[in-house]
């Protein structure tokens, strides 16, 4: 909804983050700056904007510096335009379930509406939430500790697919890339192998006898203490 992040929202999100939970939210569909809409403007969340098939910002998606990442949400119209005829590629398609408490496949009610398309940042945010789940699951499978919410965001933003069409308004560094994010989530930390040609040096131990010719270079590495 419109307005600032409430104290109740901020407290709930902070508590979730403290427990290790990653909070992913939809930016909103007002074609406005997300700074005016909560919970997208709350601290501690990953706010997701929507892009269409051309990678353009969906015309309805909120935008702004508060957006962390974009994801497919549907552009509705041809070439992700702002009007005209709605097209099948303009929607995110999925099996539908009208129940609020238990699985009730629509096929058992009306087979013609069992599969449907929707568009919005509410379709974009679950893509990111799903990728986060895959990242954390891969960490567990690899016997690694779960990533913190900040670490999750770093991985997501470091592995985005660049926009093919420059956004008309800021919607983050790019589009979520599931395969790249999961691969980076379990990537071994950079240690000795990161600089194989470097000469290790110790903290607080001076190097002596240094020399070199014009234009030459020598690479050293050091593991910094906390």
């Amino acid at each position: 909804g419109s307005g600032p992040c409430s104290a109740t929202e901020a407290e709930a999100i902070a508590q979730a983050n403290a427990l290790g939970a990653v909070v992913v939210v939809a930016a909103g569909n007002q074609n406005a700056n997300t700074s005016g809409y909560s919970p997208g403007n709350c601290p501690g969340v990953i706010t997701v904007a929507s892009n269409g098939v051309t990678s353009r910002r969906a015309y309805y998606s909120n935008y702004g510096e508060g957006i962390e990442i974009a994801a497919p949400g549907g552009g509705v119209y041809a070439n992700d335009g702002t009007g005209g005829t709605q097209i099948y590629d303009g929607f995110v398609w999925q099996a539908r379930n009208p129940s609020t408490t238990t699985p009730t496949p629509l096929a058992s009610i009306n087979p013609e509406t069992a599969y449907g398309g929707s568009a919005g940042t509410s379709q974009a945010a679950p893509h990111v939430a799903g990728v986060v789940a895959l990242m954390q699951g891969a960490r567990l499978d690899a016997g690694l500790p779960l990533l913190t919410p900040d670490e999750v965001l770093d991985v997501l933003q470091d592995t985005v697919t660049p926009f093919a069409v420059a956004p008309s308004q800021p919607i983050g560094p790019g589009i979520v890339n599931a395969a790249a994010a999961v691969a980076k989530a379990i990537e071994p930390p950079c240690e000795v192998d990161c600089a194989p040609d470097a000469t290790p040096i110790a903290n607080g131990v001076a190097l002596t006898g240094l020399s070199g010719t014009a234009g030459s270079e020598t690479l050293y590495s050091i593991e910094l203490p906390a």
Side-chain angles (χ1 to χ4, degrees):
S2 61
C5 178
S6 70
T8 302
E9 288 173 311
E11 184 180 350
I13 292 164
Q15 174 73 0
N17 288 164
L19 293 171
V22 179
V23 182
V24 179
V25 301
N29 305 327
Q30 289 78 25
N31 185 28
N33 197 305
T34 193
S35 61
Y37 295 85
S38 68
N41 57 7
C42 291
V45 301
I46 296 177
T47 304
V48 185
S50 173
N51 64 270
V53 292
T54 66
S55 93
R56 287 173 59 183
R57 177 181 72 91
Y59 71 92
Y60 53 79
S61 177
N62 284 354
Y63 52 81
E65 298 304 322
I67 301 292
E68 272 73 38
I69 198 167
V76 181
Y77 302 110
N79 297 317
D80 299 323
T82 56
T85 304
Q86 295 183 359
I87 60 171
Y88 287 115
D89 284 346
F91 297 87
V92 174
W93 293 85
Q94 59 206 337
R96 287 182 165 173
N97 183 349
S99 176
T100 56
T101 56
T102 55
T104 308
L106 269 172
S108 63
I109 303 171
N110 183 352
E112 294 183 0
T113 58
Y115 193 66
S118 301
T121 55
S122 289
Q123 275 59 58
H127 281 91
V128 175
V131 172
V132 173
L134 291 173
M135 290 164 57
Q136 300 287 45
R139 297 274 300 179
L140 292 176
D141 286 346
L144 299 171
L146 293 176
L147 297 171
T148 67
D150 286 343
E151 290 171 335
V152 165
L153 179 58
D154 287 343
V155 171
L156 288 174
Q157 292 185 326
D158 286 347
T159 56
V160 293
T161 296
F163 297 109
V165 180
S168 57
Q169 298 285 354
I171 52 171
I175 302 167
V176 67
N177 184 321
V182 172
K184 188 170 182 64
I186 56 174
E187 192 176 86
C190 192
E191 292 173 353
V192 222
D193 299 335
C194 302
D197 300 325
T199 300
I201 58 177
N203 182 53
V205 179
L207 289 180
T208 59
L210 298 177
S211 65
T213 58
S216 68
E217 61 180 31
T218 305
L219 185 63
Y220 296 94
S221 65
I222 183 171
E223 183 175 343
L224 297 178

